[in-house]
Amino acid sequence: MRILITNDDGIYSPGIAALAQIARKFGEVRVVAPDVEQSSMGHAVTHSRPLSYKKSPIEFPGIDAYRVNGTPADCVALGTHLWSKTDVVLSGINMGPNLGNSMWHSGTLAAAKQAVLFGIKGIALSTPVGKTEPDFKALEPFVEKVLSSLLEDTKLALYNVNFPEHPTDITWTRQSVRLYDGTVIPGTDPLGRKHYWFTVTPLEPAEEGTDRWAVDNNLVSITPLRLDLTNEAELKEKIQTQPVGL
């Protein structure tokens, strides 16, 4: 199995190093990641300038690794172009969760989505981060178990996986869709210049069976996703009640 690994935290992230070493147990691994952090970049792609890649400035033992002057989606596009017959793209392990509505702007998930657009299985992996870095060694058995399960099925698929700080088990979930405050908090820097922070605090508790609920309860969350955003129920209703055309 040929496994391409990327992220949105950049080539220097300890999360991508941890994931790369675990993934080696499942096949041949290559790392192609952004040269600088691209968190919350979403599915942005570079079209106004050429992309380039260079050998990684840090070593990934036993793995070819490269950095790209682009977004996570760019890394998948360039990585799969340079490395033909890629079987799966893994994105992460992200330093911070990608739960609920954060999927919309996640660069980590965007890389996995880009893989699926190319007909390649995509798996995004994330974990919360506090004042210290996540304990990736402690997460390793759960990461390995998740990959073992998801890589066994060869069909095209897109998954979003979130690991709590201290996981006890693994569960299938759906995306949590809840309102967030979206508050803009003003402040000033040391020179007195104005700046602003955009907050995304959930306004409601997580619903049972969702990704947020799972992580809150120390469960690894695996959410199967799809690229089709069509609201099937509303489309059916509109066709029946408001027909258009000749």
Side-chain angles (χ1 to χ4, degrees):
M1 179 177 292
R2 283 187 149 189
I3 304 171
L4 178 68
I5 295 183
T6 190
N7 68 357
D8 72 0
D9 289 325
I11 193 71
Y12 297 97
S13 171
I16 197 171
L19 180 58
Q21 290 305 316
I22 298 170
R24 290 187 67 191
K25 301 176 182 180
F26 299 92
E28 184 183 1
V29 173
R30 177 173 290 190
V31 171
V32 180
D35 56 0
V36 295
E37 184 174 349
Q38 298 281 338
S39 294
S40 296
M41 185 58 67
H43 211 126
V45 294
T46 302
H47 70 88
S48 58
R49 59 174 173 79
L51 295 172
S52 62
Y53 71 99
K54 298 179 181 179
K55 191 171 180 59
S56 170
I58 61 172
E59 184 180 356
F60 289 75
I63 298 172
D64 290 334
Y66 304 91
R67 55 189 171 109
V68 175
N69 63 333
T71 68
D74 291 335
C75 292
V76 174
L78 187 57
T80 55
H81 171 77
L82 296 171
W83 202 30
S84 61
K85 299 181 180 179
T86 298
D87 296 299
V88 63
V89 171
L90 305 181
S91 182
I93 300 171
N94 189 62
M95 303 280 282
N98 280 302
L99 301 165
N101 294 351
S102 66
M103 292 188 198
W104 288 95
H105 56 75
S106 168
T108 304
L109 182 57
K113 288 190 295 179
Q114 185 65 51
V116 177
L117 288 172
F118 289 154
I120 301 169
K121 178 180 289 186
I123 304 173
L125 307 101
S126 306
T127 192
V129 61
K131 294 182 179 179
T132 60
E133 291 182 355
D135 186 351
F136 290 110
K137 193 65 179 177
L139 294 179
E140 184 174 340
F142 289 91
V143 177
E144 186 173 343
K145 188 172 182 179
V146 166
L147 292 182
S148 179
S149 174
L150 298 184
L151 295 180
E152 183 178 0
D153 190 342
T154 58
K155 74 175 183 295
L156 181 63
L158 174 62
Y159 298 105
N160 187 43
V161 183
N162 281 272
F163 299 89
E165 185 179 359
H166 303 292
T168 59
D169 207 345
I170 302 171
T171 187
W172 291 96
T173 61
R174 68 184 187 277
Q175 179 186 7
S176 173
V177 181
R178 280 292 183 262
L179 296 178
Y180 289 71
D181 60 0
T183 301
V184 176
I185 301 177
T188 55
D189 68 13
L191 296 179
R193 297 172 297 194
K194 289 185 177 180
H195 62 209
Y196 302 88
W197 287 101
F198 180 66
T199 68
V200 287
T201 303
L203 296 178
E204 303 166 289
E207 324 91 287
E208 185 171 350
T210 64
D211 49 9
R212 278 180 52 211
W213 172 87
V215 171
D216 287 346
N217 287 275
N218 295 320
L219 299 172
V220 178
S221 163
I222 307 178
T223 306
L225 302 174
R226 66 178 186 177
L227 298 182
D228 184 356
L229 300 178
T230 306
N231 185 331
E232 300 288 355
E234 183 173 356
L235 176 61
K236 182 178 180 180
E237 177 188 348
K238 296 301 184 186
I239 290 175
Q240 292 175 343
T241 61
Q242 301 178 29
V244 296
L246 298 178

